[in-house]
Amino acid sequence: MRITIYGKGGHGSAPHTAIDPIVIAARTILALQTITSREVKPGEMAVVTVGYIHAGTKNNIIPDQAELGLTVRTNNPEVRKQVLAAIARITKAEAEAGNAPRPPFVERTEGTDLVYNDPAWRSDCAGYCNQRWQR
């Protein structure tokens, strides 16, 4: 997933004239970390990882936007729906709380289907590999 958070750029010496998308992004990242610990039922599997944040080009310039790159992993389609809805809800709420000039853009950029390893096939394969490499 890619999330773009919008702000209003400005000079670092006058942050009161800007809307800092980096601050909104930082709050968003912290809030996203609560999804798996506070919203997903214990025993269900979910992972939300913010793998990157890109914003700005200079240390004294407040940028117009910040981009977050996320990975979401679940093994249950219903939990995935729940997690994706929570990401959208939290991201929108943090942008509103930060007075962002427009809602964030949440984009699903890639996805990987759940991998299921058939137990019988896995056993056959493990037996072959153990015999082949003498484990």
Side-chain angles (χ1 to χ4, degrees):
M1 297 184 76
R2 185 172 34 239
I3 299 171
T4 304
I5 296 171
Y6 301 99
K8 178 183 169 202
H11 196 273
S13 67
H16 61 286
T17 65
I19 296 172
D20 195 336
I22 296 174
V23 172
I24 297 170
R27 288 196 318 242
T28 301
I29 292 167
L30 290 174
L32 291 174
Q33 299 309 305
T34 66
I35 294 170
T36 58
S37 65
R38 297 294 183 261
E39 296 191 33
V40 175
K41 180 181 174 184
E44 293 286 355
M45 195 285 292
V47 176
V48 176
T49 299
V50 179
Y52 74 79
I53 177 171
H54 293 176
T57 59
K58 187 108 171 86
N59 62 319
N60 64 343
I61 304 289
I62 296 169
D64 288 329
Q65 64 186 44
E67 183 179 285
L68 308 176
L70 280 71
T71 297
V72 175
R73 303 287 175 124
T74 62
N75 61 6
N76 177 328
E78 289 304 311
V79 172
R80 185 170 192 80
K81 266 176 51 175
Q82 176 191 3
V83 169
L84 294 175
I87 290 169
R89 184 190 76 243
I90 288 168
T91 302
K92 181 180 177 194
E94 290 296 342
E96 286 178 9
N99 199 27
R102 65 183 195 190
F105 180 62
V106 179
E107 178 183 16
R108 293 189 57 191
T109 55
E110 58 187 54
T112 305
D113 291 335
L114 178 64
V115 175
Y116 172 77
N117 292 319
D118 180 88
W121 182 86
R122 190 194 66 73
S123 180
D124 289 347
C125 185
Y128 170 79
C129 290
N130 287 334
Q131 185 179 31
R132 172 79 168 101
W133 289 285
Q134 299 174 1
R135 290 186 180 176

